[in-house]
Amino acid sequence: MDDILLMLPGPTTVHPRVLNAMSKAVVNHRSAKFGEILTETTQLMSEVFQTPNKSYLITGSGTAAMEAGIANTVAPGEKILNVVGGKFGERFMKIANANGIETKELAIEWGTAVSPKQIEEALNADEDIKAVSVIHNETSTGVTAPIEEIGKIMKNYDALYIVDTVSSLGGDKVDVEKFGVDVCLTGSQKCIAAPPGMAAITLSDDAWKAVDKVENNTYYLDMKAIRKSGDKIPPETPYTPSVSLVYAMNEALKIIKEEGLNERIARHHKAAKASVSAVKALGLELFADEAVSSATVTAVKMPEGISDSEFRGTVRGKYGVELAGGQDHLKGNIFRIGHMGNISYKELLQTFGAIGMTLKGFGIIDDAGAGVASITESYL
Ligand SMILES: *Cc1c(COP(=O)(O)O)cnc(C)c1O
């Protein structure tokens, strides 16, 4: 195994307890024993979503739940408003298009957040909008959308409120019930800190009403089938789930519960704040508008005088820390530090030490330790 510290916006470092849970014997997925584990896991999932409604697990990455969330609630030919301020906002729009749904893009400059007012105006301008999709934490730009405030607007409209919390649930505040989210979905490998390959989704009563009306074109991701199996006693999944990943999710969610959801969110905010300070201490510039900078990933402009491959290659190859690059037109122009899951000051010290040493090595900065010093101050 590589001794590489993953500071990515997923996958994140998986706790040994979670890895051990995955080595348990695989059981029949149509048995009382598995039903018990599934019941417990989906209940823990609903606690993290903060909803009284049921949650369902889907074997697949976060994108599977994105597709399930849209394709089942908006019919082909109906219209969805997609907030697009980065790669994942774009993905929701592409998924809608692939399912024959008419899309209307609310384009937001990458690095900034949508305002509730923009959504209100878009809804007022077009009565045919059946749903609005928002990425809570736009992982490609390191920006958080104000989903609580948007929720207050959405309560005045019939349109469904669909929120992707793949890179925020378990790391930033998501209160599905209070925010009035109709469809909320996430993935296993980000703040939940389980291995990749599992997704989760929860729907409000209004969203289920839409599901019952919509003739969707999905088979594997058909929420009617997923609900039918999930509501059996004991519950099941329509097709064979990744049994081992359900064990992993179960253990990872127990770890979240032991830490306390609010404590975990506070820990992520602290790491984000410390990272932003350390970025500045190194003389680097944030990519995202600081006021809306993410609790789970910090996007930084690549400094002049060093290429992405030199920078991230050295940070990884020489110092053992894996950072993420930019996507699409941001490729080469930014790098991203994922501080999600089980991370604390230790990982940040190592990360900012590696960044400082690399930048000094290339003659970009004089003080290699400025980032580390900043992290120590933040955690004193
Ligand atoms: C990672 C991510 C996804 C899903 O990606 P998968 O690779 O399918 O797990 C979706 N939305 C956001 C905001 C993400 O960060």
Side-chain angles (χ1 to χ4, degrees):
M1 253 309 264
D2 285 350
D3 186 20
I4 295 277
L5 173 64
L6 296 182
M7 294 300 283
L8 300 173
T12 57
T13 303
V14 178
H15 195 286
R17 268 176 60 188
V18 175
L19 293 174
N20 282 336
M22 288 182 74
S23 67
K24 282 194 299 192
V26 170
V27 296
N28 177 5
H29 63 290
R30 310 221 182 273
S31 66
K33 191 174 163 85
F34 186 72
E36 257 173 53
I37 295 164
L38 195 57
T39 302
E40 185 181 50
T41 311
T42 53
Q43 281 171 357
L44 288 165
M45 205 57 246
S46 288
E47 286 177 31
V48 179
F49 276 128
Q50 303 200 54
T51 175
N53 296 321
K54 269 196 184 182
S55 298
Y56 298 85
L57 295 179
I58 298 172
T59 298
S61 77
T63 305
M66 290 175 84
E67 183 143 12
I70 286 194
N72 285 278
T73 56
V74 192
E78 286 185 339
K79 201 185 284 180
I80 186 168
L81 178 73
N82 301 115
V83 176
V84 179
K87 189 85 187 157
F88 293 101
E90 225 169 58
R91 184 172 300 177
F92 252 155
M93 196 164 71
K94 287 182 181 167
I95 289 171
N97 280 323
N99 283 279
I101 295 162
E102 195 186 326
T103 57
K104 186 158 185 172
E105 179 178 2
L106 176 51
I108 307 297
E109 192 190 339
W110 289 35
T112 69
V114 67
S115 73
K117 200 166 167 43
Q118 284 173 294
I119 290 181
E120 189 173 30
E121 283 167 3
L123 286 167
N124 286 342
D126 189 342
E127 287 181 355
D128 292 337
I129 294 169
K130 292 281 191 278
V132 177
S133 78
V134 179
I135 306 292
H136 181 207
N137 187 72
E138 182 44 85
T139 321
S140 62
T141 61
V143 165
T144 306
I147 57 167
E148 181 168 9
E149 288 68 31
I150 295 169
K152 288 178 190 153
I153 301 289
M154 293 300 299
K155 284 185 178 144
N156 303 325
Y157 298 84
D158 287 335
L160 292 175
Y161 186 24
I162 303 177
V163 182
D164 166 321
T165 61
V166 178
S167 64
S168 58
L169 193 84
D172 200 357
K173 191 164 180 211
V174 178
D175 190 327
V176 166
E177 170 83 342
K178 183 168 168 215
F179 299 176
V181 177
D182 290 300
V183 178
C184 195
L185 55 100
T186 199
S188 54
Q189 80 276 26
K190 310 235 170 146
C191 305
I192 294 174
M198 191 60 71
I201 189 165
T202 186
L203 281 73
S204 69
D205 292 346
D206 285 346
W208 281 117
K209 277 184 205 140
V211 169
D212 288 327
K213 275 198 300 215
V214 168
E215 290 281 339
N216 70 70
N217 291 317
T218 64
Y219 184 86
Y220 185 72
L221 298 171
D222 181 6
M223 285 307 304
K224 292 187 189 85
I226 290 169
R227 175 179 59 187
K228 190 171 172 210
S229 298
D231 291 355
K232 281 186 190 167
I233 299 170
E236 294 180 12
T237 52
Y239 322 108
T240 315
S242 170
V243 170
S244 308
L245 279 175
V246 175
Y247 297 157
M249 284 295 274
N250 185 285
E251 193 66 21
L253 291 166
K254 280 181 181 152
I255 290 174
I256 294 179
K257 191 164 175 150
E258 286 166 25
E259 180 176 9
L261 186 56
N262 291 336
E263 287 73 13
R264 190 178 177 91
I265 292 167
R267 178 167 59 72
H268 279 81
H269 277 275
K270 184 163 185 171
K273 209 164 162 227
S275 297
V276 167
S277 299
V279 163
K280 289 182 185 164
L282 284 167
L284 301 173
E285 233 183 294
L286 284 183
F287 172 71
D289 186 353
E290 189 174 340
V292 292
S293 177
S294 161
T296 64
V297 57
T298 297
V300 185
K301 289 184 186 163
M302 191 65 73
E304 295 284 327
I306 189 166
S307 71
D308 180 45
S309 61
E310 286 169 333
F311 174 71
R312 286 193 302 126
T314 306
V315 169
R316 183 187 203 280
K318 199 163 174 192
Y319 301 113
V321 178
E322 182 103 31
L323 301 176
Q327 293 166 291
D328 282 354
H329 65 272
L330 297 176
K331 201 169 162 55
N333 300 326
I334 66 166
F335 66 90
R336 293 172 300 147
I337 305 164
H339 33 78
M340 50 180 84
N342 303 310
I343 73 125
S344 67
Y345 74 96
K346 281 182 292 188
E347 290 79 12
L348 293 178
L349 286 175
Q350 188 182 341
T351 301
F352 282 95
I355 294 173
M357 288 187 281
T358 300
L359 293 178
K360 178 151 185 173
F362 278 88
I364 313 278
I365 59 170
D366 294 324
D367 182 2
V372 169
S374 172
I375 295 292
T376 61
E377 286 300 323
S378 295
Y379 280 90
L380 259 182

